[in-house]
Amino acid sequence: MDTPNLSHATYYTPLPEQPSLDGSPATRRRPLKGFVVIFGSIIFLVSLVGLILNQSQEPSSTSPMPNNDDKPSSQKKSFSKRMPRGVAEGVSAKSNPSLFDDDEVSYNWTNAMLSWQRTSYHFQPEKNWMNGPLFHMGWYHLFYQYNPDSAVWGNITWGHAVSRDLIHWLYLPLALVPDHWYDINGVWTGSATRLPDGQIVMLYTGDTDESVQVQNLAYPANLSDPLLLDWVKYENNPVLVPPPGIETSEYRDPTTAWTGPDGTWRLTIGSRVNTTIGIALVYQTTNFTTYELLDGLLHAVPGTGMWECVDFYPVAINGSIGLDTSAGGPGIKHVLKASLDDTKLDHYAIGTYDPVKDKWTPDNPEEDVGIGLRVDYGRYYASKSFFDQYKKRRILWGWINETDTEIDNLSKGWASVQSIPRTVLFDNKTGTNILQWPVEEIESLRYNSKEFEKIVIEPGSIVPLDIGTATQLDIFAEFETELLASATEEEGYNCSVGAVDRSTLGPFGLLVLADDSLSELTPIFFRPTNTTNGTLTTYFCADETRSSLAPEVLKQVYGSSVPVLEDEKLSMRVLVDHSIVESFGQGGRRVITSRIYPTEAIYGAARLYLFNNATGINVMATLKIWQLNSAFIHPFPLVDKI
């Protein structure tokens, strides 16, 4: 290690299961005290009113951290028998059943706490519950599933928003609504395809009046309109119905089409056979109104269940730009991704596409779709990519749903968020994975940067970082380690044991959205392990188990091993946006999205720390941290149209 810089290491304290701080940073702000209802003699009568009156904008930081054996934890609760929303309608779960019995009271959220949870630079609708993105005449278009009536899943329509830069968004009128027999029970996921002559076609899944999943065609009424305000549904919809042998409730989410060597268009639709084999059907068409189901399958993986929201696109083996969906030839691999209905996880694999046989083969069968790599190891689902022809890049979006309860969602009036758009490239250093990275436009929100050079974090220590407000951040961090004791061998480690599980080599990293007393904190960390065969495996993890004092919130530990090459430092980039934390390990080889619902670590009481919970290494950290402004996300001023 280089010579350390101790100027920022204001004090060290151990990180046991109940962290405590014995000292104070030189520039620590004291949170303001909120208004509290103190009429003890009538507290029972006014308890309901207290939810409204007790609106502390900066909560107290004096609550002790509960012992892990006593704290509320979703891992020690079983889901109630109540069926999640969406399952009965034949789609993936769109809600979290309460972790408690119906008569058990959830956390007493204040309006200030709920207001803090709304993100500031992630896209989400103005209210309520929240598919085929594209770029047209200078505008990025985002179409998303939306319930205009409530903050829970149901009455699914297509919301529509536009942006010049993928960050600042303008809401437009609804694009598609369920108003025909073939989509009356919901306008579900679909994809846009741009034709060589500039035409745009949109294929989407509709749920019919008999709850049959069919594929429908829509197109813009006026291509010269940059905002694509009006859409027309094809008069002879549906254009595709479930073929023989496919369940009528397991046939959905058409992909963007690509051209084959014969000049005809191909697209794939997810389904399953024999209840457990996930499959991708392949169709060809010349006009998007009539289709032929090709023999065989694009791909199938036993044991993975229903595939929904399938995505299929090329990546250049040696290149720094994205590729059009129809690109093929030497030097190109294809990514096949499926959202697994059974597990609610997005999996992908890299392989080779045979355009003559319309078959895709994974490079590594042991890491096939559904049994290997994930797009994101956290709270992230139903992702969809598109080719940005303007900047020659492939952009990926994902849906981040809530991990609190429907009651909480109804209280705050909204639910679900879109991830920050990410660019996707093939990792030509490892040759085994994609690289995901926030689009460069996010940097336009940066201000007030602060750098920390070579901060040493001793074993069992925490170092506060004096950065001011810590709820909207863009963090770059690099870590180097110095071995102080011989490392023991470990087998079978995974992230599930969390940040309190200590070893010679880890864990170490960041504590985001933590309060002064560390009663709430979320570690984002690395955990190197020595295996019995002499190799070093590094894990990249996010631990939500102490992120909130609210007992009804689902709190998990996420992560996986991450490739680290011999000449690389351990590095992470973390985007913090109130209740969303997106973490990118080793340049985006692994990504973890977390939903965080603090009760104490909000507003000015939120803090950022470095920590080292290893027993036998010093860790040296170098960071650059920016505050991030809020994005402009408002209705488009269409006075005559709305």
Side-chain angles (χ1 to χ4, degrees), residues 33-351:
K33 297 294 183 181
F35 292 107
V36 181
V37 179
I38 59 174
F39 302 105
S41 62
I42 57 172
I43 189 63
F44 175 76
L45 297 177
V46 301
S47 60
L48 294 178
V49 181
L51 285 173
I52 301 174
L53 297 181
N54 184 19
Q55 307 223 345
S56 169
Q57 287 210 345
E58 298 193 9
S60 169
S61 61
T62 58
S63 300
M65 177 66 195
N67 186 283
N68 280 1
D69 294 333
D70 300 326
K71 69 181 179 62
S73 172
S74 62
Q75 296 175 329
K76 298 182 181 179
K77 297 286 184 177
S78 60
F79 281 101
S80 66
K81 295 181 180 180
R82 185 186 309 161
M83 182 179 292
R85 285 184 191 271
V87 173
E89 291 81 1
V91 293
S92 61
K94 300 297 189 288
S95 68
N96 296 313
S98 174
L99 302 178
F100 301 93
D101 296 331
D102 291 340
D103 58 353
E104 191 165 349
V105 179
S106 66
Y107 195 83
N108 288 331
W109 299 99
T110 67
N111 285 348
M113 293 176 186
L114 296 176
S115 295
W116 179 90
Q117 292 175 13
R118 188 171 178 90
T119 61
S120 290
Y121 58 85
H122 283 72
F123 176 82
Q124 60 187 121
E126 292 180 274
K127 60 180 181 179
N128 300 339
W129 195 91
M130 81 134 305
N131 214 357
L134 60 91
F135 181 82
H136 179 67
M137 296 181 68
W139 291 93
Y140 293 98
H141 291 253
L142 177 62
F143 302 91
Y144 55 94
Q145 293 188 31
Y146 177 58
N147 183 353
D149 299 328
S150 179
V152 298
W153 187 87
N155 186 32
I156 295 303
T157 68
W158 269 26
H160 186 190
V162 292
S163 173
R164 293 284 194 183
D165 60 5
L166 295 169
I167 301 299
H168 305 284
W169 291 92
L170 298 167
Y171 302 119
L172 292 177
L174 298 177
L176 296 173
V177 299
D179 57 3
H180 290 72
W181 69 267
Y182 52 76
D183 62 11
I184 195 65
N185 281 321
V187 178
W188 293 351
T189 300
S191 299
T193 300
R194 179 180 293 276
L195 308 185
D197 62 0
Q199 295 290 319
I200 297 171
V201 294
M202 191 78 78
L203 290 172
Y204 71 92
T205 298
D207 192 24
T208 74
D209 54 359
E210 296 183 350
S211 297
V212 176
Q213 294 172 14
V214 298
Q215 314 312 318
N216 303 307
L217 172 64
Y219 50 88
N222 179 11
L223 265 179
S224 64
D225 175 14
L227 300 181
L228 299 176
L229 288 173
D230 300 310
W231 289 79
V232 178
K233 295 179 181 179
Y234 178 54
E235 60 182 359
N236 291 324
N237 277 336
V239 295
L240 284 168
V241 298
I246 296 298
E247 300 167 77
T248 58
S249 62
E250 306 292 349
Y251 176 71
R252 54 185 176 268
D253 310 335
T255 64
T256 296
W258 69 93
T259 52
D262 58 1
T264 63
W265 292 92
R266 268 85 161 159
L267 62 91
T268 183
I269 296 174
S271 187
R272 72 179 184 186
V273 292
N274 297 331
T275 71
T276 62
I277 303 175
I279 65 172
L281 302 162
V282 183
Y283 290 87
Q284 71 176 14
T285 181
T286 59
N287 54 16
F288 289 90
T289 59
T290 58
Y291 296 82
E292 177 188 356
L293 177 61
L294 299 182
D295 293 336
L297 301 166
L298 179 68
H299 195 55
V301 181
T304 57
M306 172 65 192
W307 286 9
E308 56 182 0
C309 300
V310 172
D311 204 3
F312 185 61
Y313 57 87
V315 289
I317 294 177
N318 292 298
S320 58
I321 62 173
L323 298 177
D324 180 83
T325 308
S326 295
I332 290 177
K333 294 284 188 179
H334 273 75
V335 174
L336 178 60
K337 167 257 158 185
S339 301
L340 304 191
D341 191 13
D342 289 352
T343 62
K344 309 304 177 288
L345 299 172
D346 274 19
H347 282 263
Y348 79 94
I350 297 172

Side-chain angles (χ1 to χ4, degrees), residues 6 11 13 25 180 210 218 299 320 340 359 410 540 550 556 630:
L6 300 177
Y11 66 100
T13 54
H180 290 72
E210 296 183 350
H299 195 55
S320 58
L340 304 191
K359 305 291 183 184
L410 291 168
F540 181 56
Q556 296 182 309
S630 299

Side-chain angles (χ1 to χ4, degrees), residues 510-537:
L510 297 169
L511 302 179
V512 301
L513 296 176
D515 66 325
D516 281 329
S517 67
L518 300 183
S519 65
E520 293 177 329
L521 50 84
T522 300
I524 312 296
F525 61 92
F526 288 108
R527 174 67 146 71
T529 62
N530 261 344
T531 60
T532 53
N533 63 8
T535 61
L536 183 68
T537 301

